[in-house]
Amino acid sequence: MPALEVADLSFRYGRKEALKGVSFAVQPGEFCALLGPNGAGKSTLFALLTRLFVARQGRIAVMGQDLQQAPRAALAQMGVVFQQMTLDLDLSVARNLAYFGALHGLSRRESAARAQEVLERLDMAERAGEKARDLNGGHRRRLEIARALMHRPRLLLLDEPTVGLDARARAAITAHVHALAREDGLAVLWATHLVDEVSPDDTVLILHHGEILQTGQARDIAPENGLAAHFMALTEDAAA
Ligand code: ADP
């Protein structure tokens, strides 16, 4: 069963068609890079996947649970890292996670145990007592990812998770999330316009003007570092 299944999804803002019959699936353990230039429809797709918007046409299922018919069951399997920060900067790293655990109905003890687990997974355990405000941008992002894993989702959605980070922090986060897919079997949907975040084994979905132009393994779509040129050529009418 796919972790995420999207079938014939369309969405319009008034007369503007932002998504046109989008279909794809992400399997457990698969890192799927959603590549699209600005305006492609990535944020719209994320808004639909997280139920910020409701689609009038199409179907979304998470671990077989229909998002429209069984939203609680579907959302329970989903962790989301939004572009906007969701941390409370005045709380410690551990308190930020405990707070999120409480929101998900975890007991204090369970929440603390999971906080420890997710921090270790993101190589952040030694920062549990630090105030979120004192973390650098890369560590704040890693804490956001840790938070999104607190309820043990099977699908992780990340909307341009490296925006504003320096090269080293970007590389660390990209590597961590690839490891979550490879080692923990998490299904990952990673939206970006930065082709260098994609590994050869990743699945690539190229979204442009609300349509999926191409899908496949990165290594098959474009050999040896050719993905950037390929992506630019496919989406060349996008505003620079
Ligand atoms: P991306 O996240 O890939 O940059 P978006 O999902 O934000 O793309 O936008 C997809 C298309 O929908 C774009 O053409 C954009 O201008 C349009 N759009 C986005 N939000 C709105 C809105 N609130 N009203 C009208 N058009 C919108």
Side-chain angles (χ1 to χ4, degrees):
M1 185 209 312
L4 173 65
E5 195 169 11
V6 172
D8 198 21
L9 191 65
S10 296
F11 189 81
R12 48 172 72 234
Y13 298 98
R15 292 175 59 191
K16 167 84 198 169
E17 273 189 292
L19 291 177
K20 305 170 198 167
V22 167
S23 299
F24 64 93
V26 186
Q27 303 296 333
E30 185 174 1
F31 185 107
C32 181
L34 176 69
L35 270 181
N38 286 335
K42 302 184 297 298
S43 301
T44 304
L45 177 60
F46 268 65
L48 291 167
L49 293 175
T50 55
R51 275 195 111 230
L52 212 57
F53 300 159
V54 174
R56 269 179 232 120
Q57 190 203 313
R59 180 173 180 269
I60 298 169
V62 183
M63 298 300 290
Q65 304 281 353
D66 189 288
L67 190 60
Q68 192 92 37
Q69 277 148 30
R72 284 171 67 99
L75 291 170
Q77 306 282 354
M78 184 191 294
V80 188
V81 179
F82 292 104
Q83 271 188 36
Q84 304 87 337
M85 196 181 60
T86 61
L87 304 172
D88 186 331
L89 293 178
D90 291 320
L91 297 182
S92 71
V93 165
R95 293 288 303 156
N96 264 290
L97 294 176
Y99 180 63
F100 188 77
L103 280 181
H104 275 267
L106 299 180
S107 72
R108 191 177 285 234
R109 177 191 284 193
E110 207 172 5
S111 195
R114 291 213 191 160
Q116 175 77 18
E117 181 184 304
V118 294
L119 286 176
E120 275 170 16
R121 201 68 192 82
L122 275 299
D123 272 339
M124 294 264 299
E126 73 286 0
R127 300 189 183 273
E130 286 181 27
K131 236 187 203 185
R133 188 181 300 284
D134 297 333
L135 299 177
N136 66 27
H139 287 129
R140 284 186 192 178
R141 266 301 141 109
R142 260 145 80 177
L143 177 54
E144 295 271 4
I145 296 170
R147 186 193 57 81
L149 298 175
M150 277 290 284
H151 60 298
R152 297 195 176 134
R154 301 312 306 146
L155 169 69
L156 184 63
L157 307 179
L158 306 101
D159 188 9
E160 308 209 8
T162 61
V163 165
L165 299 182
D166 65 24
R168 184 184 298 270
R170 272 181 63 198
I173 288 193
T174 309
H176 268 107
V177 177
H178 275 93
L180 290 171
R182 196 175 53 243
E183 294 162 18
D184 300 0
L186 207 63
V188 173
L189 183 66
W190 171 289
T192 189
H193 60 273
L194 302 168
V195 175
D196 63 345
E197 293 174 355
V198 179
S199 297
D201 289 342
D202 295 345
T203 302
V204 173
L205 294 175
I206 298 182
L207 184 70
H208 190 39
H209 295 316
E211 291 180 278
I212 304 252
L213 293 188
Q214 196 168 19
T215 171
Q217 253 198 336
R219 73 165 88 253
D220 297 335
I221 285 184
E224 293 291 320
N225 302 323
L227 188 59
H230 181 75
F231 175 60
M232 298 281 273
L234 264 185
T235 61
E236 68 182 345
D237 63 323

